[in-house]
């Protein structure tokens, strides 16, 4: 079975702290994604990557950066966390030319 | 700009009471329409892909259909274990980039 593992299920951080969210997939997928999910707004794409060291902005990249140094690992970085970044963060991976994404269980981040 | 709208926002059914969820979309060129299921506290799980108008896919009590403007997820004789949020998305292609709707929260009562 495809597995997408997110490093932390729950995090509590303070405003201004740097936050790392890590995601690892074990199916050699080319494409990886970071979404955030908020009530009433659904899933919104932050960044995605279609190859090692390649990244593209999604719909809401402001305040976030990403890193993909290895094919299986995709990290989301909040350089200076703010309260409006309190959310559920979901990582996903998939083979290109399919719409079948495999999601991790999510990381719920609270910024105080 | 690609857009996906799902209705209703929430739906409560009695066990065995069939119904349909709607997903309407506007896209410049449909590469694919996708249905996902999301249980509380978990990530979405892929259900179906539809590529062209008239196409249908089935899985147990679920059937997804597609027209040029919308997709329906029909639930026949639902059971409590079908309770979840159902998400619709459009996109795909080489980058798999998907645009999601806000979902329909389905509750099936015994």
């Amino acid at each position: 079975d495809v597995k997408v593992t997110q490093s932390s299920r729950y995090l509590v951080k303070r405003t201004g702290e740097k936050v790392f969210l890590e995601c690892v997939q074990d199916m050699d997928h080319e494409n990886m994604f970071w979404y955030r999910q908020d009530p009433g707004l659904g899933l919104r794409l932050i960044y995605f990557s279609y190859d090692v060291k390649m990244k593209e902005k999604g719909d809401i990249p402001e305040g976030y950066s990403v890193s993909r140094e290895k094919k299986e690992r995709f990290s989301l970085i909040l350089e200076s966390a703010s309260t409006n970044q309190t959310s559920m963060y979901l990582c996903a991976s998939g083979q290109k030319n399919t719409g079948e994404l495999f999601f991790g269980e999510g990381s719920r981040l609270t910024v105080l | 700009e690609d857009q996906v709208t799902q209705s209703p926002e929430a739906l409560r059914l009695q066990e065995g009471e069939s119904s349909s969820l709607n997903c309407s979309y506007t896209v410049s060129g449909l590469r694919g329409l996708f249905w996902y299921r999301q249980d509380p506290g978990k990530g979405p799980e892929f259900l179906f892909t539809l590529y062209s108008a008239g196409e249908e896919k089935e899985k147990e009590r679920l059937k997804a259909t597609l027209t040029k403007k919308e997709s329906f997820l029909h639930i026949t004789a639902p059971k409590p274990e079908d309770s979840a949020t159902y998400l619709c998305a459009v996109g795909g292609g080489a980058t798999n980039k998907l645009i999601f709707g806000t979902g329909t929260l389905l509750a099936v009562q015994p």
Side-chain angles (χ1 to χ4, degrees):
Chain A
D1 278 354
V2 174
K3 196 164 184 181
V4 177
T5 304
Q6 295 186 226
S7 55
S8 306
R9 289 298 308 275
Y10 301 95
L11 302 96
V12 179
K13 297 291 182 181
R14 297 206 174 274
T15 301
E17 280 192 86
K18 192 169 186 175
V19 182
F20 290 91
L21 299 178
E22 294 200 313
C23 175
V24 178
Q25 52 99 358
D26 65 359
M27 280 302 291
D28 202 36
H29 286 159
E30 298 91 351
N31 298 335
M32 295 189 74
F33 306 82
W34 277 105
Y35 286 89
R36 66 177 280 178
Q37 186 172 32
D38 301 287
L41 297 176
L43 279 89
R44 293 179 292 166
L45 182 63
I46 305 171
Y47 267 97
F48 67 103
S49 169
Y50 51 89
D51 202 349
V52 175
K53 297 191 186 294
M54 306 301 288
K55 61 185 179 185
E56 283 203 22
K57 294 179 180 179
D59 300 316
I60 52 164
E62 297 78 18
Y64 303 95
S65 62
V66 290
S67 172
R68 193 167 181 200
E69 295 296 319
K70 293 185 178 181
K71 190 174 185 180
E72 68 270 18
R73 190 179 297 268
F74 193 34
S75 301
L76 180 69
I77 303 147
L78 288 67
E79 292 288 343
S80 177
S82 63
T83 55
N84 63 12
Q85 293 178 309
T86 291
S87 186
M88 170 69 87
Y89 290 88
L90 288 160
C91 175
S93 73
Q95 279 186 312
K96 59 183 175 183
N97 295 317
T98 77
E100 184 176 354
L101 298 187
F102 295 85
F103 283 84
E105 297 221 313
S107 298
R108 185 164 291 282
L109 172 67
T110 301
V111 183
L112 303 175
Chain B
E1 183 180 326
D2 295 355
Q3 201 164 8
V4 177
T5 304
Q6 291 188 247
S7 63
E9 287 186 17
L11 181 62
R12 182 170 292 183
L13 299 174
Q14 291 295 125
E15 185 171 1
E17 179 187 1
S18 301
S19 188
S20 297
L21 313 182
N22 178 262
C23 170
S24 62
Y25 62 90
T26 52
V27 295
S28 53
L30 183 68
R31 284 162 291 174
L33 186 137
F34 309 91
W35 283 98
Y36 284 77
R37 170 191 169 127
Q38 186 175 22
D39 293 305
K42 299 207 167 178
E45 184 180 339
F46 172 78
L47 290 173
F48 302 112
T49 306
L50 300 164
Y51 289 110
S52 56
E55 191 175 357
E56 298 183 352
K57 294 274 179 74
E58 279 189 73
K59 181 178 180 179
E60 295 181 356
R61 294 175 292 282
L62 301 177
K63 183 166 87 171
T65 62
L66 182 65
T67 72
K68 287 186 178 179
K69 292 183 179 180
E70 57 192 349
S71 177
F72 292 94
L73 185 65
H74 307 277
I75 304 175
T76 303
K79 297 183 177 182
E81 53 261 42
D82 296 321
S83 298
T85 296
Y86 290 87
L87 299 166
C88 171
V90 295
T95 63
N96 294 59
K97 184 179 172 185
L98 299 184
I99 306 295
F100 282 86
T102 52
T104 294
L105 175 61
L106 175 66
V108 181
Q109 296 181 316

